[in-house]
C-alpha cells in the first residue's frame, strides 16, 4: 500500500490538491482512499459528496473519509474512553468537561494513525491519500506515539499494576472495565509504533508540501521541509499552488507579481533536486469531481502521482553530549565564496548578493554555531550549547 500525505500552512489548498491527486490515481485503476485528518474538514465540500467517519464510495476505485475522533473512540476504543472518564471524574472533573477531556491531546492524530494501520494490515486499499491538518498538527501526528504515551503516563494517577488492581474494585462498584481500558491502551501504543515505522519507510510513505509563492507561506514550508527530513520522513515533491499568470499589465497586481517571481525562484533554489509541480490560480473555486479531475491532469501532466518521486534527504542531524552536527545538502555552493551566520533558529548563507535562509527546529535557538566546513555537496555545521 502507498501512503501520500499532503501538508502545508492552512489555506494553501491542501484539500484541493489531495482530492485531485486521489481522483487521478483512482482513474489509473488503483483502489484509492482520500482521508481528511483536519478537524476543520472541507473534503466533503471539495468533492461535492457527503462523507462520514467511515469510508464512503464516491466513484470508481475512489473512497472518501473524514475522521471523527469521538466516533473512533466510541467504536474502536470505548474501553479507553471509559478509563479516561473514570480517571477525570475520580479527580472531581464535571461530567461534561470529562467527556470533552476524554479525547486525549494527540488522540485526533492517533486515531488517524490507527485507521491507516487498520487499512494497511487488512490490505483494504492500494493507495491512501491523506489531506492533513496544517503543518503544526502534521508534525504532531508524525511524532506520535511518543507524545501521547508520555501524556497518558502523566495523566493516569496510578502505575500499570495498581490500575489493574484498582480496575477490579471499580468494576465491582461501577461496572467500568478500567483494566481492559489499560490493556487496550497498550495495544494502541504497539499499533502506533508499527504505523510510525511504516510512515518512515520511504518506499511506502511520501509527504508532499503544498505552498503558495508568498513569504509567510514559503517560510513555513521551508521549516516543515527541514523538520520532516530531520525526523526521517520522505518529502518527495513540492506543490506550488495559486500562481497568478497574466499577459496584461495590471497596476493592482504589479507588486504582487514582482514578489511572486522572486518567491518562485526561491522555491526552485530552496528545494533544489525535488520535483516541483506548479498550479496556476484557476480564477474560480475548484470543487466537484469534474473540476478536480481537470485540476489533477494539469498539475501532474504526464507524471504518475502514486510513484515515489524523490528519495534523498536534504538534512541530517546527529546529536552528541555537547551539541549537534548538522549536514545540509547544498550542491550549488561548490567552488563559490560564501559566508554563514546563525540568527536564533535560522542559518543564513550569503552567496554574493544572494541570501539563502534555512529554518531549523526551534530548540536550535539555544545552540551556537561553533564551526562549519563544506564537503561537496554537504555543508557541515557544528552546533554547541
Amino acid at each position: 500500500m502507498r501512503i501520500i500525505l499532503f501538508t502545508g500552512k492552512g489555506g494553501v489548498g491542501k484539500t484541493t490538491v489531495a482530492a485531485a491527486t486521489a481522483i487521478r490515481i483512482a482513474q489509473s485503476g488503483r483502489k484509492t482512499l482520500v482521508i481528511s485528518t483536519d478537524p476543520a474538514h472541507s473534503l466533503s465540500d471539495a468533492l461535492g459528496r457527503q462523507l462520514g467517519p467511515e469510508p464512503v464510495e464516491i466513484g470508481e476505485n475512489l473512497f472518501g473519509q473524514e475522521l471523527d475522533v469521538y466516533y473512533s473512540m466510541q467504536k474502536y476504543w470505548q474501553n479507553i474512553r471509559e478509563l479516561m472518564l473514570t480517571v477525570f471524574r475520580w479527580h472531581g472533573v464535571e461530567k461534561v468537561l470529562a467527556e470533552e477531556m476524554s479525547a486525549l491531546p494527540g488522540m485526533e492524530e492517533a486515531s488517524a494513525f490507527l485507521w491507516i494501520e487498520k487499512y494497511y494490515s487488512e490490505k483494504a486499499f492500494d493507495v491512501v491519500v491523506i489531506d492533513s491538518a496544517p503543518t503544526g498538527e502534521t508534525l504532531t501526528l508524525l511524532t506520535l506515539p511518543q507524545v501521547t504515551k508520555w501524556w497518558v503516563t502523566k495523566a493516569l494517577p496510578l502505575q500499570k499494576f495498581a490500575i489493574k488492581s484498582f480496575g477490579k474494585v471499580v468494576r465491582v462498584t461501577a461496572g467500568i472495565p478500567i483494566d481492559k481500558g489499560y490493556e487496550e491502551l497498550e495495544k494502541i501504543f504497539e499499533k502506533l509504533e508499527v504505523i510510525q515505522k511504516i510512515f518512515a519507510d520511504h518506499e511506502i510513505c511520501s509527504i508532499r508540501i503544498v505552498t503558495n509563492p508568498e513569504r509567510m507561506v514559503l517560510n513555513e514550508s521551508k521549516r516543515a521541509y527541514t523538520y520532516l527530513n530531520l525526523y526521517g520522513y520522505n518529502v518527495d515533491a513540492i506543490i506550488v499552488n495559486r500562481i497568478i499568470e497574466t499577459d496584461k499589465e495590471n497596476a493592482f497586481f504589479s507588486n504582487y507579481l514582482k514578489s511572486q517571481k522572486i518567491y518562485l525562484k526561491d522555491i526552485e533554489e530552496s528545494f533544489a533536486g525535488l520535483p516541483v509541480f506548479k498550479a496556476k490560480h484557476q480564477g474560480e473555486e475548484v470543487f466537484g469531481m469534474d473540476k478536480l479531475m481537470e485540476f489533477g491532469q494539469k498539475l501532474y501532466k504526464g507524471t504518475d502521482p502514486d510513484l515515489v518521486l524523490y528519495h534523498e534527504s536534504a538534512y541530517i542531524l546527529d546529536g552528541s553530549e555537547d551539541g549537534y552536527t548538522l549536514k545540509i545538502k547544498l550542491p550549488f555552493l561548490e567552488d563559490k565564496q560564501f559566508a554563514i551566520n546563525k540568527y536564533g533558529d535560522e542559518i543564513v548563507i550569503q552567496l554574493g548578493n544572494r541570501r539563502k535562509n534555512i529554518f531549523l527546529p526551534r530548540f536550535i535557538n539555544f545552540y551556537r554555531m561553533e564551526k562549519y566546513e563544506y564537503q561537496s555537496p554537504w555543508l557541515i555545521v557544528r552546533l554547541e550549547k
Side-chain angles (χ1 to χ4, degrees):
M1 189 176 86
R2 279 279 285 136
I3 300 169
I4 303 171
L5 184 149
F6 289 92
T7 188
K9 189 174 176 64
V12 295
K14 291 187 306 297
T15 300
T16 299
V17 174
T21 302
I23 292 170
R24 179 77 184 271
I25 294 171
Q27 285 178 318
S28 70
R30 304 198 71 188
K31 188 178 180 184
T32 305
L33 171 70
V34 56
I35 180 171
S36 171
T37 66
D38 190 340
H41 296 301
S42 56
L43 187 57
S44 288
D45 294 332
L47 291 166
R49 306 291 174 87
Q50 187 59 47
L51 303 180
E54 295 274 357
V56 174
E57 187 170 4
I58 53 179
E60 187 176 359
N61 298 317
L62 184 62
F63 296 77
Q65 180 181 5
E66 291 182 332
L67 287 187
D68 184 322
V69 64
Y70 294 102
Y71 174 86
S72 299
M73 291 185 72
Q74 289 274 6
K75 181 168 182 176
Y76 295 107
W77 312 299
Q78 180 64 18
N79 288 333
I80 294 175
R81 178 176 171 274
E82 295 291 353
L83 167 63
M84 299 314 299
L85 281 173
T86 301
V87 169
F88 288 130
R89 294 181 69 181
W90 188 59
H91 277 296
V93 178
E94 292 183 4
K95 185 177 179 181
V96 173
L97 188 56
E99 284 275 8
E100 194 70 19
M101 291 173 67
S102 67
L104 304 174
M107 186 56 81
E108 192 91 44
E109 294 83 4
S111 65
F113 257 171
L114 293 169
W115 278 99
I116 293 164
E117 191 276 337
K118 177 178 183 290
Y119 299 143
Y120 185 85
S121 61
E122 294 175 356
K123 297 180 172 59
F125 299 96
D126 299 318
V127 183
V128 172
V129 176
I130 303 172
D131 171 27
S132 181
T135 313
E137 287 83 350
T138 300
L139 295 173
T140 302
L141 166 69
L142 296 172
T143 54
L144 287 169
Q146 293 92 336
V147 174
T148 304
K149 195 168 187 176
W150 178 89
W151 197 96
V152 170
T153 56
K154 297 297 180 185
L156 298 179
L158 304 168
Q159 295 298 321
K160 173 181 176 180
F161 295 110
I163 282 213
K164 288 190 174 182
S165 301
F166 172 66
K168 292 175 183 177
V169 175
V170 174
R171 233 194 252 206
V172 172
T173 58
I176 297 172
I178 298 299
D179 54 329
K180 291 291 184 184
Y182 200 96
E183 289 171 7
E184 195 171 273
L185 200 58
E186 286 187 321
K187 289 178 182 177
I188 281 181
F189 287 140
E190 290 172 6
K191 288 184 176 183
L192 286 175
E193 287 166 358
V194 168
I195 197 66
Q196 190 175 44
K197 289 176 182 176
I198 292 169
F199 267 67
D201 186 328
H202 293 194
E203 296 301 319
I204 297 173
C205 181
S206 297
I207 298 175
R208 294 175 186 169
I209 298 173
V210 183
T211 190
N212 300 146
E214 299 173 9
R215 181 179 179 179
M216 291 178 62
V217 178
L218 180 54
N219 284 350
E220 183 162 327
S221 300
K222 290 179 184 178
R223 193 183 297 278
Y225 181 54
T226 309
Y227 271 80
L228 291 165
N229 275 268
L230 295 178
Y231 290 156
Y233 297 105
N234 185 40
V235 178
D236 78 340
I238 303 294
I239 313 292
V240 188
N241 193 26
R242 296 178 184 151
I243 299 171
I244 295 177
E245 294 181 351
T246 177
D247 297 326
K248 299 178 181 179
E249 289 292 327
N250 188 317
F252 184 78
F253 280 109
S254 61
N255 288 335
Y256 184 88
L257 293 171
K258 286 178 185 176
S259 63
Q260 179 181 262
K261 287 181 181 178
I262 295 170
Y263 296 133
L264 287 171
K265 185 177 180 181
D266 190 358
I267 288 167
E268 295 287 352
E269 292 181 353
S270 299
F271 304 106
L274 269 174
V276 176
F277 295 90
K278 297 177 181 177
K280 69 177 184 179
H281 200 294
Q282 301 300 297
E284 61 177 351
E285 291 183 275
V286 180
F287 61 90
M289 300 290 284
D290 293 338
K291 287 183 180 179
L292 288 168
M293 190 184 306
E294 183 182 353
F295 180 85
Q297 289 170 348
K298 290 178 181 178
L299 178 64
Y300 290 105
K301 297 177 182 175
T303 303
D304 187 348
D306 66 338
L307 293 177
V308 181
L309 303 174
Y310 192 76
H311 290 271
E312 297 180 35
S313 176
Y315 298 87
I316 300 172
L317 189 66
D318 294 321
S320 61
E321 288 186 5
D322 55 350
Y324 291 91
T325 298
L326 174 67
K327 295 178 69 178
I328 309 167
K329 193 171 186 180
L330 295 171
F332 63 81
L333 287 183
E334 194 168 14
D335 301 325
K336 293 184 176 68
Q337 293 294 319
F338 62 91
I340 298 179
N341 290 291
K342 179 181 177 294
Y343 303 101
D345 57 357
E346 284 184 57
I347 285 180
V348 179
I349 302 171
Q350 191 74 39
L351 188 65
N353 61 354
R354 292 165 55 206
R355 175 179 290 187
K356 180 178 177 66
N357 297 67
I358 297 170
F359 295 86
L360 300 172
R362 295 189 188 280
F363 71 84
I364 294 295
N365 185 46
F366 301 101
Y367 290 78
R368 71 175 184 273
M369 184 172 67
E370 185 66 20
K371 60 181 180 179
Y372 64 85
E373 61 177 324
Y374 187 71
Q375 297 178 5
S376 182
W378 296 96
L379 173 65
I380 303 169
V381 181
R382 179 62 191 167
L383 301 164
E384 294 186 358
K385 287 184 180 179

